[in-house]
Amino acid sequence: MKLFAGKPGWTVTADVIVIGSGVAGLTTALNARAADLSVLLVTKAKIDEGSTKWAQGGIAAALGPGDTPDQHKEDTLIAGAGLCDLDAVNVLVKEGPEAVRKLIARGAVFDKAETGEIALTREGGHHRNRILHAGGDATGAEVSRALLAAVQNDSGIEIIEHALVVDALQTEDGRVCGVTLHVIGAGSTNGVGQALARAVVIATGGLGQVYSQTTNPSVSTGDGVAMALRAGAAVADVEFIQFHPTVLWRDTSQAGQQPLISEAVRGEGAILLNHKGEKFMAGVHPQADLAPRDIVAKEIFGQMKEAHVPHVWLDTTAMKDFKERFPTIFASCMSNGIDPQRQLIPVAPASHYASGGVLVDLNGQSTVAGLYVCGESACTGAHGANRLASNSLLEGLVFGARISEHIAKHLPEQGVPQIDETEERVLIDPSIRIPLQLAMSEGAGVMRSEKSLKAALATLQQLGTHRTKTPAVDAWEVSNLYFLATAIVRSALERKESRGSHWRSDFLETDKLWERRIIQHLDTSGNWTSSEQEVNV
Ligand code: FAD
Ligand code: SIN
């Protein structure tokens, strides 16, 4: 199955195509160049767009005195609530410190403590201070700056900005050998071209825009995951959408990307209060306000529901040097009329991170030959049912390096794309975007039930009948949102338990029998199938 698009009018070639210019794409591109491969880097908007530049809290790695990869592993496994793949976690935590050192060698500058050592802070679920940060709360901006400078300095990396990748091109035997892409602004049909390569790496980030309120930027429409599904790849763990507990609440009419108040703010002393001004996390979890993210989000949701209020409060008023330590968050609070040094910050959960994605092995290979996936689009199994704070940037660094190494060792000849004229092509009308997001927020949000999920699925099925024949960016994006929303709801319906960030009001307990992951496939006619897989724990 493919999206409806014009016929490609032009062709470019490279050894490797990397789709996306966040931490995952940039790291993969740089490492592929180090292996002497020619790289085409395609990105949907300006090159620095994507979640990476918005990352606040930092990067987790066992670099502090007394810390070890094993301790980092323990915290990752606990946060992942029984569904982490042990091998993937081992790779993440053991290769993490070296990957961070390499990032520093590439030019990233992290904040220092008074001793001159790199300053380390704490976030939810971590039992140690192991989060490196930059510019206080602007870690992603620094990571993006440093990697971009290195990429732009490398003449072996061809960059195409403002180019939306639509679908995979595949050989007769199904191997991915390129992609179709549309250069935005070059006309709605004559902007389509094809990029051919011996390996394709999806690094298109998350899918937060499936929901009405999200911390994710507008480019996070899950295009790569949906494209992989249409190419026949398996996706896994997609029901585990992580809702960040502390997103600045403005008013109920706000939609799209919302300002984040980093978990690191709680790591440095901020306290959650309910509408009566009471601390509420202490009795809920031994780590109280710094419990893993899913636990804090659930408790906040419960507090809001019980009191019929749209948010709780974050108290930062006793914190010293808030403005200096968290300059980005300070500025975004102030621009919303809140002085965090004197006033409580209204916060509520919003969609933040896709713990699942395209199922890949330890080398980032999907279940379709020639197709690799890195970063938030991938499901390596390192996050299980709930990602540990600041493990995402780390995953992009670690697996970006592994993918390039694997590609360099196993590069096939360029394949010839086969266009199947009989293959089903769809394009959903962009007008369904808001109703789709509302249906997902209502039915598949922080807390779900069979009733709410079935209602969301029925709405999706109805919205999916709204088709268009006009290829355009908003239609391709909404079509991708539609496929992913369907996958999320299908998996969430199937998982009859509560675990990690999947919370069912009709199945409140975690069920040992569900220590399995749900895999979804889409066939060429658009039919879904799902299966279950044991987890390597
Ligand atoms: P992104 O950085 O999202 O990059 C995706 C790229 O793909 C973009 O360049 C985009 O334009 C491009 N793209 C998308 N679709 C297409 C298409 N069809 N064609 C071509 N290009 C396409 N994680 C941490 O570890 N620590 C943190 O402190 C942290 N803080 C966060 C704060 C915020 C506000 C947010 C939103 C996330 C945060 N995260 C954090 C999560 C983390 O930032 C992301 O998971 C990570 O940056 C994802 O990197 P990525 O390279 O996979 O994707
Ligand atoms: C944050 O700073 O709270 C976000 C960290 C993350 O998503 O890992």
Side-chain angles (χ1 to χ4, degrees):
M1 156 160 285
K2 296 280 182 281
L3 294 186
F4 187 76
K7 281 205 175 6
W10 47 273
T11 302
V12 281
T13 54
D15 290 332
V16 185
I17 296 170
V18 177
I19 313 164
S21 51
V23 62
L26 296 172
T27 304
T28 308
L30 285 169
N31 284 289
R33 280 299 299 141
D36 219 20
L37 303 172
S38 66
V39 176
L40 174 66
L41 182 73
V42 182
T43 190
K44 181 157 78 166
K46 267 177 51 204
I47 195 157
D48 68 344
E49 290 298 324
S51 288
T52 296
K53 79 162 177 194
W54 294 95
Q56 293 185 344
I59 305 182
L63 288 167
D67 200 2
T68 58
D70 274 346
Q71 294 176 58
H72 188 183
K73 174 165 85 178
E74 273 309 296
D75 289 343
T76 302
L77 293 175
I78 292 170
L83 279 199
C84 290
D85 178 293
L86 194 57
D87 294 338
V89 176
N90 272 323
V91 162
L92 184 76
V93 299
K94 290 191 173 143
E95 297 179 18
E98 186 49 34
V100 170
R101 281 187 210 105
K102 182 138 194 193
L103 176 66
I104 293 171
R106 283 184 165 141
V109 179
F110 290 96
D111 296 337
K112 302 266 181 349
E114 277 166 10
T115 56
E117 298 294 308
I118 286 178
L120 297 170
T121 191
R122 194 174 295 212
E123 289 183 275
H126 291 272
H127 284 88
R128 274 190 177 272
N129 288 10
R130 64 165 70 95
I131 318 287
L132 296 86
H133 46 87
D137 55 3
T139 312
E142 175 57 12
V143 170
S144 177
R145 182 205 64 74
L147 292 175
L148 271 178
V151 161
Q152 286 166 332
N153 213 14
D154 190 327
S155 57
I157 303 178
E158 186 186 346
I159 299 168
I160 310 184
E161 284 181 284
H162 302 288
L164 182 143
V165 169
V166 181
D167 267 312
L169 290 165
Q170 290 172 272
T171 59
E172 203 166 13
D173 59 1
R175 180 160 64 83
V176 170
C177 60
V179 293
T180 52
L181 67 167
H182 172 88
V183 178
I184 300 162
S188 60
T189 50
N190 62 3
V192 175
Q194 63 177 1
L196 303 180
R198 297 159 73 184
V200 171
V201 184
I202 290 174
T204 53
L207 44 81
Q209 294 287 331
V210 162
Y211 291 88
S212 303
Q213 287 90 24
T214 175
T215 61
N216 292 190
S218 61
V219 292
S220 302
T221 48
D223 298 358
V225 183
M227 168 182 127
L229 260 172
R230 291 190 297 270
V235 300
D237 294 349
V238 289
E239 66 274 35
F240 298 112
I241 298 294
Q242 184 171 77
F243 291 83
H244 196 292
T246 55
V247 177
L248 180 65
W249 184 86
R250 297 188 283 178
D251 65 65
T252 39
S253 66
Q254 298 289 338
Q257 188 180 16
Q258 307 298 314
L260 178 72
I261 312 291
S262 174
E263 231 165 54
V265 174
R266 274 173 284 135
E268 306 226 353
I271 299 287
L272 286 159
L273 301 177
N274 64 17
H275 79 291
K276 292 185 202 150
E278 299 161 344
K279 299 175 186 175
F280 56 84
M281 281 308 299
V284 174
H285 190 274
Q287 286 174 289
D289 291 78
L290 280 175
R293 198 168 280 176
D294 57 323
I295 290 165
V296 182
K298 281 175 193 168
E299 189 55 30
I300 291 178
F301 185 81
Q303 293 281 341
M304 285 163 42
K305 236 176 138 213
E306 193 184 309
H308 304 288
V309 290
H311 63 80
V312 295
W313 300 101
L314 187 66
D315 186 356
T316 51
T317 54
M319 291 172 69
K320 289 208 179 73
D321 306 326
F322 186 92
K323 185 177 169 184
E324 290 72 29
R325 175 63 182 85
F326 298 107
T328 313
I329 297 167
F330 179 78
S332 83
C333 286
M334 291 300 276
S335 69
N336 282 286
I338 299 146
D339 180 350
Q341 297 172 130
R342 290 177 188 81
Q343 291 168 288
L344 302 180
I345 307 173
V347 290
S351 114
H352 179 64
Y353 183 81
S355 294
V358 184
L359 184 65
V360 293
D361 65 14
L362 296 179
N363 295 310
Q365 289 188 107
S366 73
T367 53
V368 171
L371 187 64
Y372 293 77
V373 189
C374 190
E376 191 169 339
S377 298
C379 179
T380 59
H383 308 309
N386 173 55
R387 172 178 63 92
L388 182 67
S390 286
N391 267 356
S392 176
L393 294 175
L394 187 69
E395 186 184 41
L397 296 173
V398 167
F399 283 87
R402 290 180 77 89
I403 287 172
S404 310
E405 196 179 315
H406 192 268
I407 290 175
K409 283 192 192 141
H410 303 274
L411 202 61
E413 289 305 309
Q414 176 63 56
V416 178
Q418 296 293 309
I419 311 288
D420 178 0
E421 298 293 348
T422 63
E423 190 170 10
E424 170 143 12
R425 287 183 178 263
V426 290
L427 198 58
I428 312 278
D429 195 289
S431 64
I432 71 148
R433 188 178 181 124
I434 289 172
L436 178 148
Q437 291 167 328
L438 286 171
M440 289 301 287
S441 296
E442 279 281 302
V446 178
M447 190 197 253
R448 302 103 187 246
S449 67
E450 177 165 321
K451 192 168 165 219
S452 77
L453 290 162
K454 281 193 167 158
L457 194 58
T459 306
L460 288 173
Q461 280 163 350
Q462 194 277 327
L463 293 173
T465 62
H466 295 246
R467 303 287 170 102
T468 176
K469 282 261 161 20
T470 310
V473 170
D474 51 1
W476 288 314
E477 285 188 343
V478 103
S479 303
N480 291 328
L481 292 176
Y482 167 76
F483 283 113
L484 297 172
T486 306
I488 292 166
V489 172
R490 282 176 50 88
S491 291
L493 257 174
E494 197 168 326
R495 183 172 290 282
K496 293 182 176 51
E497 64 158 355
S498 291
R499 180 188 295 275
S501 53
H502 171 71
W503 188 20
R504 291 269 308 241
S505 60
D506 46 352
F507 294 97
L508 285 168
E509 300 302 319
T510 301
D511 184 345
K512 186 88 184 140
L513 290 175
W514 269 108
E515 217 166 77
R516 283 175 284 168
R517 63 164 41 127
I518 298 171
I519 315 275
Q520 304 255 12
H521 274 105
L522 189 63
D523 73 13
T524 48
S525 315
N527 300 311
W528 292 90
T529 48
S530 66
S531 55
E532 289 161 24
Q533 193 185 67
E534 293 297 320
V535 183
N536 165 29
V537 283

